[in-house]
Amino acid sequence: RRFSLSKGCRFPWCTGRDGKPARVDEVPDASVRKEDVLELSHFVSPWVALRNPRLGIAVALTWDPAVFRYVWCWQMFGGRVTSPYFGRGYALALEPSTSPVMALEQCAAQKECPVVAGGGTLVSFVEASIHDATASVREIRPGGVVVYAS
């Protein structure tokens, strides 16, 4: 399945292929047997955080929104039953991206891919931080500064 929160969804809800609303902010256990790619965009602030209150740890990313306009969220919760996972894969990846989730040819045709001329450079940043997960996060600022919800 593919969700696009930039196209008619309002976080944390999105409409799945079955037409039913689905939460995209909670990590289920592997028994759900699903694999999704979500395309996140239109951020008020450029950050994402994953927290596990049971373990007391959280990880967060901040990035340069001028370069990374999207975040791809790959979720595999026991869903790929073919090689190499055979239903045993359990992973979530958050990837700041310059482009939406689509084939490179389509991305280029729609002028969604940045172009860096031969010999050119592109300078940007992505920061990762680890912090306490006992409270909800309201914002992550560059430098790993965490603002917790009150």
Side-chain angles (χ1 to χ4, degrees), residues 2-63:
R2 179 174 169 239
F3 295 102
S4 175
L5 296 187
S6 62
K7 298 175 183 162
C9 297
R10 186 173 181 110
F11 187 81
W13 292 95
C14 197
T15 304
R17 284 188 176 176
D18 60 4
K20 296 179 182 175
R23 285 197 74 133
V24 297
D25 66 332
E26 296 175 344
V27 177
D29 63 42
S31 68
V32 300
R33 295 264 186 236
K34 71 176 192 167
E35 180 179 10
D36 295 320
V37 176
L38 289 79
E39 175 185 292
L40 311 172
S41 65
H42 298 87
F43 290 87
V44 174
S45 297
W47 66 273
V48 292
L50 292 173
R51 67 185 185 103
N52 186 328
R54 185 175 55 82
L55 296 178
I57 192 166
V59 63
L61 295 175
T62 59
W63 60 87

Side-chain angles (χ1 to χ4, degrees), residues 1 5 20 34 53 55 66 72 75 91 102 122 140 146-147:
R1 296 186 306 180
L5 296 187
K20 296 179 182 175
K34 71 176 192 167
L55 296 178
W72 297 3
Q75 303 176 344
M102 63 177 63
L122 174 67
I140 305 290
V146 180
V147 179

Side-chain angles (χ1 to χ4, degrees), residues 79-101:
R80 188 175 297 184
V81 295
T82 59
S83 176
Y85 302 106
F86 302 105
R88 297 177 303 221
Y90 187 75
L92 187 143
L94 293 165
E95 307 170 51
S97 178
T98 59
S99 307
V101 176

